[in-house]
Amino acid sequence: MNLDATITCDVLIVGSGAAGLSLALQLAKEYQVIVLSKGPLAEGSTYYAQGGIAAVFDANDSIESHINDTLVAGAGICDSAVVRYTAERAKESLNWLIQLGVDFDREPDVNGEPRFHLTREGGHSHRRILHSADATGRAVQSTLTSQALSHPSIRVLENCNAIDLITSKTSKQNRCIGAYVWNRNEETVITIAAKFTALCTGGASKVYQYTSNPDIASGDGIAMAWRAGCRVGNMEFNQFHPTCLFHPNARNFLLTEALRGEGALLKRPDGSRFMPDFHELGELAPRDVVARAIDYEMKRLGADCMYLDISHKSAEFIRQHFPTIYEKCMSLGIDITAEPMPIVPAAHYTCGGVVTDLNAQTDVENLYAIGEVAYTGLHGANRMASNSLLECVVFARAAAADIRAKMDHTLLEREIAGWDESKVTNSDEEVIIQHNWHELRLFMWDYVGIVRTDKRLERALRRVEMLQHEIHDYYANFRVSNNLLELRNLAQVAQLIIESAMLRKESRGLHYTLDYPKLAEDSGATILTPPQRRI
């Protein structure tokens, strides 16, 4: 697509997953919306989410129970008001998705009344997970994508990376007025002016060597917001999914927690279970406990992997409930109806992010952050399973309401300076980017991974500071590219993760350090403030 040098809209949405498309569809009846998709429209974390979405649909369940389970999983530092806000709006948010056409699994009708099949995952005290087999994210993404592409007021720009937010100083604070965008197809930079901008870019798990996330999860929104003057919170809490398939041809294939919810057992190579040795809930313990247990057993035994076994269930049950996983494993020569699946932990979900309020508003006026990119306070020190897609929809609806209330009083800035690349040249040293990329992800895995120490964090900080200097010099002298933009953002996010981890002198939730193995008595969120906001 040949794009104009400068384009305008009412709302610019950076990211095309559940958060971004939900916001777009909420606003498009009244306003002109542009959605940026970094790659192909479906290539995001939403599409690959296997589990489901949590909400109270069972008469035996309650909102209070959902709230309590979330607070417990968050290890004491969730924002209780945000947890309540989200849980109370969960059912109406899912009903909105259902009305759009998302096909959640159902059970046989009772007295003519349809019922959803509800499953249970780690941390939940009741069955409250609505799902579409083992590919809920695909069902949600496909429905939202179809609706967005057919809407005349939504313009989707694929293969477009936001480079940086454009801000204008007001009397009170910075105001976001748009973004500079790298059009990967044309290899040009365009300027987009918007009354409102929303970051829906997902997390930053690509900062680690092993991750369950797609390639685009490079922390772009968090890094851009930080550079624009937004605070970030709880960046030390990166969730490592306990069970990614360990196979040379699997490449980041995640094995949903719903497997354990339906009875799958974690086993050592000799076939013995080990989770009862670590937690009273066994395989249904919180994810951080399960990931550390797997990591511990692998290191203790010198094993390449552990195993997840659901073969004791009937083959019909497995194929019906987990068709995607069954087919994927069969394609790799693993019959999960008859044998266990080899697994390893992998970086999965960023629990921290850009600080927002209940309207998803950031510290920068007219800039919103929704979904995994944001720190709302919902997840605390550990995200409970199936609260992530829920957060996307709940806060997309909240942001839409806030934007509607402000739209008529907000002016569009049309006089924006274009992108200046008059003093840069094409790079002839792409190998530098690749080398720095691999170095960054490796030392983050080794030093800032599942188990941490002060010395490891200090080593990581020294290395990331050197990388930051190299990347800054490179960025100033050469034209942008996709790899350079991602490396720049990943290095920034890595530094935020490391600095946050160094501030937390305890082990809590997803942050586990050998130097401070116990909980601190007075603990809360870790909030970092960018240099330009410090007094």
Side-chain angles (χ1 to χ4, degrees), residues 6 16 27 32-33 47 56 93 127 131 166 168 170 185 197 258 282 325 339 353 365 372 410 423 438 487-488 501 518:
T6 301
S16 58
L27 293 171
Q32 295 298 313
V33 178
Y47 182 85
V56 175
S93 295
R127 285 181 174 265
H131 63 100
I166 305 170
S168 175
T170 65
N185 293 337
T197 302
I325 294 172
E339 60 186 314
E365 187 179 353
E372 192 176 352
T410 302
K423 298 180 181 179
H438 293 306
L487 177 62
R488 178 186 181 223
K518 297 181 180 180

Short mmCIF file of all heavy atoms in Angstrom, two decimals, residues 6 16 27 32-33 47 56 93 127 131 166 168 170 185 197 258 282 325 339 353 365 372 410 423 438 487-488 501 518:
data_model
loop_
_atom_site.label_atom_id
_atom_site.label_comp_id
_atom_site.label_asym_id
_atom_site.label_seq_id
_atom_site.Cartn_x
_atom_site.Cartn_y
_atom_site.Cartn_z
N THR A 6 1.57 12.07 5.28
CA THR A 6 0.91 12.34 6.57
C THR A 6 -0.56 11.99 6.43
O THR A 6 -1.21 12.37 5.46
CB THR A 6 1.04 13.82 6.95
OG1 THR A 6 2.42 14.17 7.03
CG2 THR A 6 0.38 14.08 8.30
N SER A 16 -3.06 -4.78 17.01
CA SER A 16 -4.27 -5.32 16.38
C SER A 16 -4.73 -6.63 17.02
O SER A 16 -5.32 -7.48 16.35
CB SER A 16 -4.01 -5.55 14.89
OG SER A 16 -2.90 -6.43 14.70
N LEU A 27 -15.39 2.19 19.03
CA LEU A 27 -15.37 3.60 18.64
C LEU A 27 -15.80 3.87 17.20
O LEU A 27 -16.16 4.99 16.84
CB LEU A 27 -13.97 4.17 18.86
CG LEU A 27 -13.50 4.28 20.31
CD1 LEU A 27 -12.02 4.63 20.35
CD2 LEU A 27 -14.31 5.32 21.07
N GLN A 32 -13.42 8.03 13.10
CA GLN A 32 -12.50 7.43 12.14
C GLN A 32 -11.30 6.85 12.89
O GLN A 32 -10.63 7.56 13.64
CB GLN A 32 -12.04 8.47 11.12
CG GLN A 32 -13.15 8.99 10.22
CD GLN A 32 -13.77 7.90 9.38
OE1 GLN A 32 -13.06 7.09 8.75
NE2 GLN A 32 -15.10 7.83 9.37
N VAL A 33 -11.06 5.57 12.69
CA VAL A 33 -10.05 4.85 13.45
C VAL A 33 -9.01 4.24 12.51
O VAL A 33 -9.36 3.68 11.47
CB VAL A 33 -10.70 3.72 14.29
CG1 VAL A 33 -9.64 2.94 15.06
CG2 VAL A 33 -11.74 4.30 15.24
N TYR A 47 -3.98 -14.28 19.06
CA TYR A 47 -4.25 -15.41 18.15
C TYR A 47 -3.75 -16.73 18.73
O TYR A 47 -4.38 -17.77 18.56
CB TYR A 47 -3.60 -15.14 16.80
CG TYR A 47 -3.87 -16.22 15.77
CD1 TYR A 47 -5.03 -16.19 15.01
CD2 TYR A 47 -2.97 -17.26 15.57
CE1 TYR A 47 -5.29 -17.18 14.07
CE2 TYR A 47 -3.22 -18.26 14.64
CZ TYR A 47 -4.38 -18.21 13.88
OH TYR A 47 -4.63 -19.19 12.96
N VAL A 56 -17.71 -14.99 35.69
CA VAL A 56 -18.63 -15.78 36.51
C VAL A 56 -19.91 -16.04 35.73
O VAL A 56 -20.73 -15.14 35.54
CB VAL A 56 -18.94 -15.06 37.84
CG1 VAL A 56 -19.99 -15.82 38.62
CG2 VAL A 56 -17.67 -14.89 38.66
N SER A 93 -18.54 -7.98 29.45
CA SER A 93 -17.52 -7.92 28.40
C SER A 93 -17.55 -9.18 27.55
O SER A 93 -17.41 -9.11 26.31
CB SER A 93 -16.13 -7.72 29.02
OG SER A 93 -16.05 -6.48 29.69
N ARG A 127 -14.86 -23.50 38.29
CA ARG A 127 -14.83 -23.53 36.83
C ARG A 127 -15.48 -22.23 36.32
O ARG A 127 -16.69 -22.05 36.47
CB ARG A 127 -15.58 -24.75 36.30
CG ARG A 127 -14.80 -26.05 36.47
CD ARG A 127 -15.57 -27.23 35.90
NE ARG A 127 -14.77 -28.44 35.93
CZ ARG A 127 -14.04 -28.89 34.91
NH1 ARG A 127 -14.02 -28.21 33.78
NH2 ARG A 127 -13.33 -30.00 35.02
N HIS A 131 -14.19 -20.91 26.89
CA HIS A 131 -13.12 -21.23 25.93
C HIS A 131 -13.72 -21.74 24.64
O HIS A 131 -14.90 -22.11 24.58
CB HIS A 131 -12.18 -22.29 26.52
CG HIS A 131 -12.86 -23.61 26.79
ND1 HIS A 131 -12.76 -24.68 25.96
CD2 HIS A 131 -13.68 -23.99 27.81
CE1 HIS A 131 -13.48 -25.69 26.44
NE2 HIS A 131 -14.04 -25.30 27.56
N ILE A 166 4.39 11.04 19.11
CA ILE A 166 4.61 12.47 18.93
C ILE A 166 3.85 13.20 20.04
O ILE A 166 2.65 12.96 20.23
CB ILE A 166 4.11 12.94 17.56
CG1 ILE A 166 4.76 12.11 16.44
CG2 ILE A 166 4.42 14.43 17.36
CD1 ILE A 166 4.14 12.35 15.07
N SER A 168 3.10 16.94 22.33
CA SER A 168 3.09 18.40 22.34
C SER A 168 2.93 18.86 23.77
O SER A 168 2.04 18.38 24.49
CB SER A 168 1.93 18.93 21.48
OG SER A 168 1.83 20.33 21.58
N THR A 170 1.74 20.85 26.81
CA THR A 170 0.68 21.76 27.22
C THR A 170 1.08 22.41 28.53
O THR A 170 2.16 22.15 29.06
CB THR A 170 -0.65 21.01 27.40
OG1 THR A 170 -0.52 20.09 28.50
CG2 THR A 170 -1.02 20.25 26.14
N ASN A 185 6.57 -2.34 4.23
CA ASN A 185 6.45 -2.69 2.82
C ASN A 185 7.15 -1.66 1.93
O ASN A 185 7.85 -2.02 0.98
CB ASN A 185 4.98 -2.81 2.43
CG ASN A 185 4.29 -3.99 3.09
OD1 ASN A 185 4.94 -4.95 3.48
ND2 ASN A 185 2.97 -3.91 3.22
N THR A 197 -4.51 8.44 20.96
CA THR A 197 -3.66 7.31 20.58
C THR A 197 -3.74 6.25 21.67
O THR A 197 -3.72 6.58 22.86
CB THR A 197 -2.20 7.75 20.39
OG1 THR A 197 -2.14 8.76 19.38
CG2 THR A 197 -1.33 6.57 19.96
N ALA A 258 -4.92 -25.24 30.67
CA ALA A 258 -6.17 -26.00 30.74
C ALA A 258 -5.89 -27.51 30.72
O ALA A 258 -6.71 -28.29 31.22
CB ALA A 258 -7.08 -25.62 29.59
N GLY A 282 -0.55 -29.02 43.94
CA GLY A 282 0.06 -29.84 42.90
C GLY A 282 0.14 -29.13 41.57
O GLY A 282 0.62 -28.00 41.48
N ILE A 325 -3.65 -28.95 20.09
CA ILE A 325 -2.46 -29.54 20.70
C ILE A 325 -2.27 -30.97 20.21
O ILE A 325 -1.14 -31.38 19.88
CB ILE A 325 -2.57 -29.50 22.24
CG1 ILE A 325 -2.54 -28.04 22.71
CG2 ILE A 325 -1.45 -30.30 22.90
CD1 ILE A 325 -2.83 -27.87 24.18
N GLU A 339 1.27 -41.04 25.30
CA GLU A 339 2.59 -40.76 25.87
C GLU A 339 2.65 -39.32 26.36
O GLU A 339 1.85 -38.47 25.94
CB GLU A 339 3.68 -41.00 24.83
CG GLU A 339 3.53 -40.14 23.58
CD GLU A 339 4.53 -40.48 22.50
OE1 GLU A 339 5.73 -40.63 22.83
OE2 GLU A 339 4.11 -40.58 21.32
N GLY A 353 3.99 -2.93 33.17
CA GLY A 353 3.85 -2.17 31.94
C GLY A 353 3.63 -0.70 32.21
O GLY A 353 4.02 -0.17 33.26
N GLU A 365 -1.30 12.97 28.33
CA GLU A 365 -2.68 13.29 27.97
C GLU A 365 -3.04 12.71 26.60
O GLU A 365 -2.25 12.76 25.64
CB GLU A 365 -2.85 14.82 27.95
CG GLU A 365 -4.28 15.28 27.75
CD GLU A 365 -4.39 16.79 27.76
OE1 GLU A 365 -3.38 17.47 28.05
OE2 GLU A 365 -5.50 17.30 27.45
N GLU A 372 -1.71 -6.21 27.66
CA GLU A 372 -0.44 -6.62 28.27
C GLU A 372 0.57 -5.49 28.34
O GLU A 372 1.47 -5.51 29.18
CB GLU A 372 0.14 -7.80 27.48
CG GLU A 372 1.28 -8.50 28.17
CD GLU A 372 1.78 -9.71 27.42
OE1 GLU A 372 1.14 -10.11 26.41
OE2 GLU A 372 2.81 -10.29 27.83
N THR A 410 -11.52 17.97 22.02
CA THR A 410 -10.12 17.73 21.68
C THR A 410 -9.85 18.14 20.23
O THR A 410 -10.59 17.76 19.32
CB THR A 410 -9.76 16.24 21.86
OG1 THR A 410 -10.03 15.87 23.22
CG2 THR A 410 -8.30 15.99 21.55
N LYS A 423 20.20 13.24 7.74
CA LYS A 423 21.57 13.09 8.23
C LYS A 423 21.94 11.63 8.50
O LYS A 423 22.92 11.36 9.18
CB LYS A 423 21.76 13.92 9.51
CG LYS A 423 21.56 15.41 9.29
CD LYS A 423 21.75 16.19 10.58
CE LYS A 423 21.52 17.68 10.35
NZ LYS A 423 21.68 18.46 11.62
N HIS A 438 21.17 -11.14 19.99
CA HIS A 438 21.38 -12.45 20.63
C HIS A 438 22.01 -12.28 22.01
O HIS A 438 21.68 -13.00 22.95
CB HIS A 438 22.25 -13.33 19.74
CG HIS A 438 21.59 -13.74 18.47
ND1 HIS A 438 20.36 -14.36 18.43
CD2 HIS A 438 21.97 -13.61 17.16
CE1 HIS A 438 20.01 -14.60 17.18
NE2 HIS A 438 20.97 -14.15 16.39
N LEU A 487 15.23 -3.98 18.42
CA LEU A 487 16.38 -4.05 19.31
C LEU A 487 16.41 -2.84 20.24
O LEU A 487 16.66 -2.97 21.45
CB LEU A 487 17.67 -4.13 18.51
CG LEU A 487 18.97 -4.13 19.32
CD1 LEU A 487 19.04 -5.34 20.24
CD2 LEU A 487 20.20 -4.09 18.39
N ARG A 488 16.16 -1.66 19.68
CA ARG A 488 16.12 -0.44 20.49
C ARG A 488 15.09 -0.56 21.61
O ARG A 488 15.36 -0.21 22.77
CB ARG A 488 15.80 0.74 19.58
CG ARG A 488 15.67 2.10 20.27
CD ARG A 488 15.20 3.12 19.26
NE ARG A 488 15.07 4.46 19.81
CZ ARG A 488 14.05 5.27 19.57
NH1 ARG A 488 13.06 4.87 18.77
NH2 ARG A 488 14.00 6.48 20.09
N ALA A 501 13.79 -5.10 39.09
CA ALA A 501 14.16 -6.27 39.87
C ALA A 501 15.16 -5.93 40.97
O ALA A 501 15.11 -6.49 42.08
CB ALA A 501 14.74 -7.34 38.94
N LYS A 518 12.62 -14.47 51.28
CA LYS A 518 11.38 -14.30 52.02
C LYS A 518 10.61 -13.07 51.54
O LYS A 518 11.14 -12.19 50.85
CB LYS A 518 11.67 -14.17 53.52
CG LYS A 518 12.31 -15.42 54.13
CD LYS A 518 12.55 -15.23 55.62
CE LYS A 518 13.19 -16.48 56.23
NZ LYS A 518 13.42 -16.32 57.70
#
